[in-house]
Amino acid sequence: MTVPSPAGPQNAGPQNAGTLNVGPQNAGAQPPAPRPAAPPPGATAGAAGAGGPSGPSGGPARALQRVTASALGPYQSAVVRIGFAATYLFFLLRELPNRHELYGPDSPWHWDLARQLTNGNEAFSVLMWTDSTVWFEAVYALTLLSAAALLLGWRTRTMSVLFMVGVLSVQNRSIFMGDGGDNVVHLMAIYLVLTRCAQVWSLDARRAARAAQRAAAGLPPLRDIVGPVLWVLLGPVLVAATLMGGLGGTWWLPTLLWTIWLSAAAWWAVNRYLPHGEPRTLLDVLANLVHNATLTVIMAEVCLIYATAGWYKIQGSRWQDGTALYYPLNLDYFTPWPALSDILGASGLMVMVLTYGTVIVQVAFPFTLFNRRVKNVLLVVMICEHAGIALLLGLPFFSMAMIAADAVFLPTAFLMWLGARATIGGRRLLSGLPGRSRTPGKPGTVDAAHDPAGPAEAGPVEDGRGGTEEPRLQGGGGGHTLVG
C-alpha cells in the first residue's frame, strides 16, 4: 500500500478529497497547486500570529495552523481503520455458518421482538425493513464486502459509510449477542466515517499517488467513473429510506448520511471547476478539522474505557483481594485451553500479580499520556494483556477491537518502521512470483512503476522542539470521499 511522500503545509493536489470531503474524486483533476515558499526565518506566522512565532500568540497560531492545514495522525488512523475492519470481517466470517441463528430468521430473538425493541429505543437497522431471508443474506454479504474494502482502503469514504450501516444493522438486530468488543466496534464504525483514514496504507492512497505522478509528468488524468456511479446508486437508496422512515428514530443518523451524500456533490464540483480556488481550501480546512476532532474523540473514548473499567474493578472485593482472575479461569465458557488455564490458576502468585496489574494499568493509562515513554511502555503491556485475554479466555474479537483502539496512541516512528518492514517483505514476496515485472538490467528488483508499495516512506521531521512530528502528506485524502 502506498505511503504518499511528505509535502508542504498545505495538502495540495486534487486527489486530496478529504474527510467530510465526501465528494467523488474527480479523476479529471488538475495538477497540484504550487505550494507557497516557506517564510524566511523570523517572519511572522500571519495576521493571527502577531508578534511572530516567539510572541505570545505564536503557540496558538502554530497549533491552529496545524489542525487546519493537515489531517493529523495519518498512520494511527490507518491502523484503526485496518484493525476494526479486520475485526468485524473475521467475526462475520467465523459466524457465517451460524448467521441465521445469531442475526437471521432463525434467531431466538425473533424479528418481531427486535422490531418492537428498535421502535422503543429508536435504533437503526436495515434488517428491520423486512424479515425476508433474501434481504438478510444481502445485508450480511454487503457488510462482509464493505469490511473487506475498508480494510484495503478502496473507495474508503463509501465503504466506511456502508461499513457503519452494516455494523449498526447487524448488531441492532440482536443486541444480546456479542461482548464488550461489539460496543467498541459499534462506536468506531461511526467515528471512521468522519476521519481521513485512507491517507496511507490504502488503495486510495496508491491511486492518488499515481494521479500525482501523471500530473507531474504532464500526462492527462485518468477519468474516474466508479465514484460518480456509486454516488448515483446510493442517492435513491437514501431518498427511499428517508421517505419510508427506515433510518431509525434519531436525528443524527439521517443528518450525517444526507450531509455526506450532498457534500459529495460539492466536492466533485469544486475539484472539477475550482481545484485551486478558495472553496477548495475551505473544504480542506473543514475536512481537516472534522478529522482531527474525531481523532481526539477516539483517543478520549479509549481513555474513558480504561478509566471506567479500572475504577469499577477497584470497587470489587475480588479485585481488591487479588483473586478476580481465578474465577474466569475455572469457567468452562472461558477456558478454550483447560490445561493452560489450570496451570495459571494453580499459581496464587501469578493470579494476584495479573489481577493487580490489570487494575493498575487500566487506572494509570490515561495519566501516562503526559509522558511519552511511560505511555509507550503501558501500551505494550496492554496489548500483551489483550493478547492474553484472547488466548486464555477465548475472546479474540474483543481483544482485536481493543488492540485496534489502542493503536491510536502508537508512535508514528514505530508505525512507519512497521510499514517499511511490511513493504520490504511484500517486495521480496512479490519479486519471487513468476511474471513479476523487474527493472531492466537488475534481476530480482521490482520496477518502481509497478510496485504496489509505492514510494518509500519519509521519516519523521523535526518539530523545532527537539522532538518529531508526523510528515505532512501530499494528497492527504487519498481519494477518501463518499464515492471515491
Side-chain angles (χ1 to χ4, degrees):
M1 304 234 175
T2 307
V3 179
S5 58
Q10 297 291 337
N11 286 341
Q15 71 277 12
N16 180 20
T19 68
L20 261 187
N21 59 338
V22 288
Q25 179 186 351
N26 178 17
Q30 302 296 324
R35 296 187 297 274
T44 61
S54 59
S57 61
R62 285 197 301 269
L64 180 63
Q65 181 184 18
R66 188 174 185 188
V67 300
T68 57
S70 62
L72 304 178
Y75 295 95
Q76 287 82 357
S77 57
V79 172
V80 171
R81 182 200 86 231
I82 295 170
F84 280 99
T87 298
Y88 211 63
L89 174 64
F90 295 151
F91 171 78
L92 294 176
L93 289 175
R94 189 192 72 170
E95 302 300 347
L96 194 61
N98 308 311
R99 63 190 184 280
H100 286 183
E101 290 76 16
L102 292 177
Y103 304 104
D106 300 330
S107 173
W109 188 249
H110 196 263
W111 186 85
D112 292 332
L113 294 174
R115 186 164 184 83
Q116 293 179 32
L117 182 61
T118 54
N119 288 339
N121 60 16
E122 299 182 335
F124 164 76
S125 175
V126 298
L127 291 176
M128 294 296 98
W129 292 359
T130 175
D131 59 350
S132 168
T133 302
V134 175
W135 176 245
F136 166 77
E137 297 288 2
V139 172
Y140 199 92
L142 181 62
T143 307
L144 264 173
L145 294 176
S146 63
L150 185 64
L151 173 65
L152 298 175
W154 182 81
R155 305 289 169 174
T156 312
R157 181 64 69 195
T158 309
M159 295 304 117
S160 65
V161 174
L162 295 179
F163 179 72
M164 177 191 71
V165 170
V167 169
L168 297 183
S169 299
V170 172
Q171 290 188 352
N172 289 337
R173 168 61 179 84
S174 298
I175 63 172
F176 301 108
M177 301 294 178
D179 48 43
D182 291 347
N183 296 328
V184 181
V185 175
H186 190 108
L187 293 171
M188 294 301 175
I190 300 173
Y191 297 152
L192 285 175
V193 174
L194 302 175
T195 61
R196 306 178 89 166
C197 54
Q199 298 178 91
V200 297
W201 299 340
S202 68
L203 297 180
D204 287 347
R206 181 171 70 172
R207 188 175 69 250
R210 288 178 174 176
Q213 291 174 0
R214 290 181 62 87
L219 299 175
L222 298 175
R223 187 172 183 180
D224 182 21
I225 301 298
V226 177
V229 168
L230 289 173
W231 186 83
V232 170
L233 291 177
L234 291 175
V237 176
L238 183 57
V239 172
T242 304
L243 294 178
M244 295 189 309
L247 296 180
T250 59
W251 62 268
W252 65 266
L253 183 61
T255 302
L256 175 63
L257 295 178
W258 275 106
T259 300
I260 292 175
W261 188 77
L262 291 176
S263 57
W267 270 92
W268 181 86
V270 168
N271 282 330
R272 183 177 180 88
Y273 300 108
L274 295 170
H276 310 306
E278 291 185 359
R280 180 65 170 80
T281 302
L282 176 62
L283 290 177
D284 254 334
V285 169
L286 293 176
N288 292 332
L289 286 174
V290 172
H291 167 91
N292 295 331
T294 306
L295 205 61
T296 303
V297 171
I298 292 175
M299 291 188 288
E301 189 79 40
V302 176
C303 291
L304 184 63
I305 290 173
Y306 284 119
T308 53
W311 286 105
Y312 271 113
K313 285 182 174 66
I314 287 178
Q315 302 175 44
S317 59
R318 294 295 177 261
W319 291 97
Q320 292 175 6
D321 60 27
T323 62
L325 184 61
Y326 173 81
Y327 298 97
L329 290 177
N330 287 273
L331 294 176
D332 292 339
Y333 185 79
F334 293 109
T335 53
W337 312 99
L340 184 60
S341 298
D342 291 342
I343 294 174
L344 184 60
S347 173
L349 178 62
M350 285 299 300
V351 169
M352 183 183 67
V353 169
L354 292 176
T355 300
Y356 285 147
T358 299
V359 176
I360 293 172
V361 168
Q362 292 183 351
V363 172
F365 177 73
F367 301 100
T368 65
L369 299 182
F370 300 101
N371 188 299
R372 181 181 303 177
R373 293 182 179 178
V374 178
K375 180 261 297 182
N376 291 340
V377 172
L378 256 67
L379 270 178
V380 174
V381 173
M382 288 194 301
I383 291 174
C384 293
E385 174 190 332
H386 291 306
I389 291 174
L391 177 65
L392 293 175
L393 303 183
L395 298 172
F397 299 110
F398 167 79
S399 298
M400 288 181 64
M402 291 308 304
I403 291 174
D406 293 341
V408 74
F409 294 107
L410 289 175
T412 300
F414 169 74
L415 292 177
M416 295 177 66
W417 174 86
L418 191 64
R421 301 286 76 75
T423 299
I424 293 174
R427 287 175 176 173
R428 291 176 178 174
L429 178 64
L430 294 176
S431 63
L433 296 179
R436 179 66 176 170
S437 175
R438 293 177 172 81
T439 304
K442 295 182 179 181
T445 60
V446 181
D447 188 354
H450 300 87
D451 182 12
E457 298 173 351
V461 297
E462 294 295 326
D463 63 1
R465 298 185 298 275
T468 59
E469 65 177 1
E470 296 152 358
R472 293 180 174 87
L473 305 177
Q474 180 179 2
H480 185 164
T481 64
L482 171 64
V483 292

